[in-house]
Amino acid sequence: MSSADKLRVGVLVSGRGSNLQAIIDATEAGKLDAAVVVVISDVADAYALERARRHGIPPVFVDPKASGSREAFDERLISILTEHQVELLCLAGYMRVLTPGFIHRFRNRIMNIHPALLPSFPGLHVQRKGLQHGVKFSGCTVHFADEGVDTGPIIIQAVVPVFDDETEETLAARILKYEHQIYPRAIQLYAEQRLYIEGRHVFCKGSEDDRAVREGWGYIHP
Ligand code: GRF
């Protein structure tokens, strides 16, 4: 596939960018029919920007303080994404809530990764909340973004067992490994134009092997 045919992906980040790295690595390994064309951060010294730089991807910092309102900030994002002809936007550790106007503009073209099995434990500090609740399984979710916080239609989830001696850190680290697998996978399904949405449900066209794939994503241990 020539680079002209590749899905143009923009990534919004606020921090270390390990999911961004997994996406870039998958594109460079030829596992994704996609190219990351711009990385935008609302945090000036986010390490994710450095990762972008190292791979020759334009890193863009947009200063929330300089924009005034949330709407003005999001308008700035839209103009950068439009300038780079972004077709799919991936949120990867992006810590701001997008405005309804932004969601409307990119409806069904924004993905997010969340380190829990949604709809359980949306928002922040999810490992702590899960451990306090005593869950036996956690995991991660890739979903389309809508106007809510971590509420949009679910594309892929991976299930990760929670052990008795688990800490927030050990659980987050094990879940992160699965995040790095399912995010590129979801992007590839989108690039292949196999995802379609009916209400809250995301279906994958042509997945005769759907059961096998799905069961493959559930890393369930007795
Ligand atoms: C990940 O756990 C992701 O699920 C959550 O924020 C974290 C970002 O990590 N939304 P990184 O910046 O991709 O390393």
Side-chain angles (χ1 to χ4, degrees):
M1 170 173 283
S2 79
S3 61
D5 299 327
K6 288 186 178 168
L7 178 74
R8 297 178 67 83
V9 174
V11 185
L12 271 181
V13 295
S14 300
R16 71 188 161 184
S18 71
N19 277 287
L20 167 69
Q21 189 70 56
I23 295 166
I24 294 172
D25 290 348
T27 61
E28 292 185 352
K31 292 179 187 160
L32 263 186
D33 302 330
V36 179
V37 294
V38 65
V39 173
I40 308 173
S41 173
D42 62 328
V43 175
D45 61 353
Y47 184 59
L49 290 176
E50 175 58 24
R51 293 184 195 264
R53 208 171 283 122
R54 286 184 190 175
H55 289 268
I57 299 163
V60 182
F61 164 58
V62 180
D63 188 351
K65 291 196 204 91
S67 300
S69 68
R70 285 178 62 216
E71 285 73 17
F73 180 85
D74 279 7
E75 278 303 323
R76 178 82 192 105
L77 296 186
I78 289 171
S79 69
I80 296 165
L81 296 168
T82 307
E83 181 191 325
H84 290 272
Q85 300 173 344
V86 166
E87 297 168 296
L88 175 69
L89 176 62
C90 293
L91 312 181
Y94 181 63
M95 299 305 285
R96 294 168 65 89
V97 177
L98 294 166
T99 55
F102 187 101
I103 298 285
H104 179 72
R105 176 76 172 67
F106 283 91
R107 171 89 53 202
N108 298 340
R109 295 199 289 137
I110 311 170
M111 286 185 187
N112 182 42
I113 179 108
H114 182 73
L117 289 178
L118 293 171
S120 292
F121 307 116
L124 297 174
H125 310 299
V126 296
Q127 314 313 345
R128 188 184 314 162
K129 289 177 191 160
L131 291 175
Q132 282 170 353
H133 197 88
V135 296
K136 299 298 182 195
F137 291 97
S138 185
C140 44
T141 304
V142 180
H143 64 93
F144 285 110
D146 66 7
E147 285 81 355
V149 175
D150 303 321
T151 51
I154 291 169
I155 304 166
I156 297 181
Q157 295 185 300
V159 179
V160 175
V162 177
F163 301 125
D164 286 347
D165 59 354
E166 204 84 75
T167 66
E168 273 182 63
E169 291 71 29
T170 59
L171 183 56
R174 286 202 347 282
I175 289 174
L176 193 63
K177 289 188 185 157
Y178 293 99
E179 294 186 36
H180 297 164
Q181 294 182 44
I182 66 171
Y183 214 171
R185 174 74 184 144
I187 295 167
Q188 180 60 15
L189 292 175
Y190 187 95
E192 291 172 2
Q193 301 187 344
R194 289 172 64 190
L195 298 179
Y196 64 101
I197 307 175
E198 283 179 13
R200 284 212 51 84
H201 297 266
V202 180
F203 297 99
C204 182
K205 277 185 217 157
S207 36
E208 303 73 34
D209 55 351
D210 186 52
R211 277 194 82 89
V213 170
R214 200 77 63 80
E215 284 174 11
W217 289 122
Y219 296 88
I220 299 174
H221 302 272

